[in-house]
Amino acid sequence: ETGVTQTPRHLVMGMTNKKSLKCEQHLGHNAMYWYKQSAKKPLELMFVYSLEERVENNSVPSRFSPECPNSSHLFLHLHTLQPEDSALYLCASSQQSGLNTGELFFGEGSRLTVL
Amino acid sequence: AQKVTQAQTEISVVEKEDVTLDCVYETRDTTYYLFWYKQPPSGELVFLIRRNSFDEQNEISGRYSWNFQKSTSSFNFTITASQVVDSAVYFCALSGTDTGGGNKLTFGTGTQLKVEL
């Protein structure tokens, strides 16, 4: 069982819906991430939280809104999405040491379909 | 800017064959880290290896081996005697020395490996 849990695993929503993706890590890490995985594209880093502060927002449209209430939980709030936002959204965590050594631990992803 | 290129989109082999997955990277950092991740059908990316830019020794772990060549900016991954359970998408990734917070990886597009009986 992975140390990073994502819910829901599958989500279908209309363009006017509001939904949220949830991520929880049980590894005691202090950094959490949202990545977007679309077909035939590299994984795209969306948001990074380190010590519960947002440290990266890679020009992500405002219809995606992250929230990190504590070091174990990360949310991605979705509002007024477009069909091209359909993708696998992966959450990851790591222990931030300042040396940028990687080793992210990923969840199984939330498969989002926007109709 | 950093970039990772995995030119092989899909590879199919027969079980017990050896297979090499290619990875070429670009970075201006003098200190950086290279990674390989495996993504099985279940979706989560599984960490396989991390290599820093100062360590060019090849590494072997069971049936897996990695060849890091700084001169050609490559970090290739070989699976010896492939098995059906090796079927997955494999991602090469690169991180630099941006200490602005978080470990930000740049991923390649992945190589889909199919191992058939």
Side-chain angles (χ1 to χ4, degrees):
Chain A
E1 185 179 314
T2 177
V4 180
T5 305
Q6 290 187 242
T7 55
R9 294 293 312 279
H10 300 273
L11 177 63
V12 180
M13 58 188 289
M15 291 193 286
T16 57
N17 291 158
K18 285 185 183 180
K19 297 285 183 184
S20 296
L21 306 181
K22 178 183 175 182
C23 176
E24 183 174 0
Q25 58 98 359
H26 316 276
L27 302 168
H29 290 162
N30 59 10
M32 296 187 77
Y33 311 75
W34 280 115
Y35 277 87
K36 177 183 178 183
Q37 185 177 20
S38 305
K40 302 195 190 311
K41 285 186 173 181
L43 273 75
E44 301 170 52
L45 178 62
M46 299 176 72
F47 299 104
V48 180
Y49 278 83
S50 178
L51 301 173
E52 300 162 44
E53 297 282 329
R54 190 194 306 182
V55 296
E56 184 87 9
N57 174 358
N58 270 357
S59 303
V60 179
S62 59
R63 56 185 185 269
F64 295 92
S65 174
E67 179 189 0
C68 187
N70 56 61
S71 60
S72 300
H73 293 86
L74 184 65
F75 295 88
L76 188 62
H77 303 300
L78 315 170
H79 175 53
T80 323
L81 295 192
Q82 305 297 312
E84 60 264 29
D85 297 323
S86 299
L88 181 68
Y89 289 84
L90 290 161
C91 175
S93 71
S94 72
Q95 185 59 29
Q96 170 62 20
S97 66
L99 296 177
N100 205 21
T101 57
E103 195 167 356
L104 272 61
F105 291 78
F106 284 84
E108 294 180 317
S110 294
R111 173 71 63 187
L112 173 66
T113 302
V114 181
L115 302 176
Chain B
Q2 298 184 329
K3 185 178 179 182
V4 176
T5 301
Q6 294 180 257
Q8 303 150 308
T9 305
E10 187 173 318
I11 301 175
S12 289
V13 298
V14 175
E15 203 174 37
K16 296 184 184 174
E17 284 186 13
D18 298 346
V19 58
T20 295
L21 309 182
D22 298 332
C23 173
V24 175
Y25 63 91
E26 296 174 30
T27 181
R28 292 182 180 175
D29 291 333
T30 53
T31 301
Y32 52 89
Y33 294 85
L34 294 160
F35 305 82
W36 276 94
Y37 281 85
K38 173 182 180 180
Q39 186 178 38
S42 55
E44 84 279 15
L45 273 76
V46 177
F47 167 80
L48 295 178
I49 189 172
R50 173 182 61 219
R51 172 68 64 200
N52 77 53
S53 52
F54 297 109
D55 183 0
E56 287 193 70
Q57 275 196 326
N58 292 331
E59 181 157 340
I60 298 174
S61 175
R63 296 184 296 106
Y64 295 170
S65 62
W66 290 269
N67 183 353
F68 176 29
Q69 295 202 345
K70 218 166 172 177
S71 59
T72 56
S73 298
S74 65
F75 186 44
N76 296 338
F77 173 31
T78 297
I79 301 175
T80 303
S82 59
Q83 299 177 2
V84 172
V85 293
D86 296 326
S87 298
V89 181
Y90 290 86
F91 290 93
C92 182
L94 166 71
S95 73
T97 52
D98 177 3
T99 55
N103 300 335
K104 307 179 191 76
L105 300 185
T106 299
F107 284 86
T109 49
T111 297
Q112 170 82 61
L113 174 64
K114 294 184 179 178
V115 182
E116 298 165 334
L117 292 170

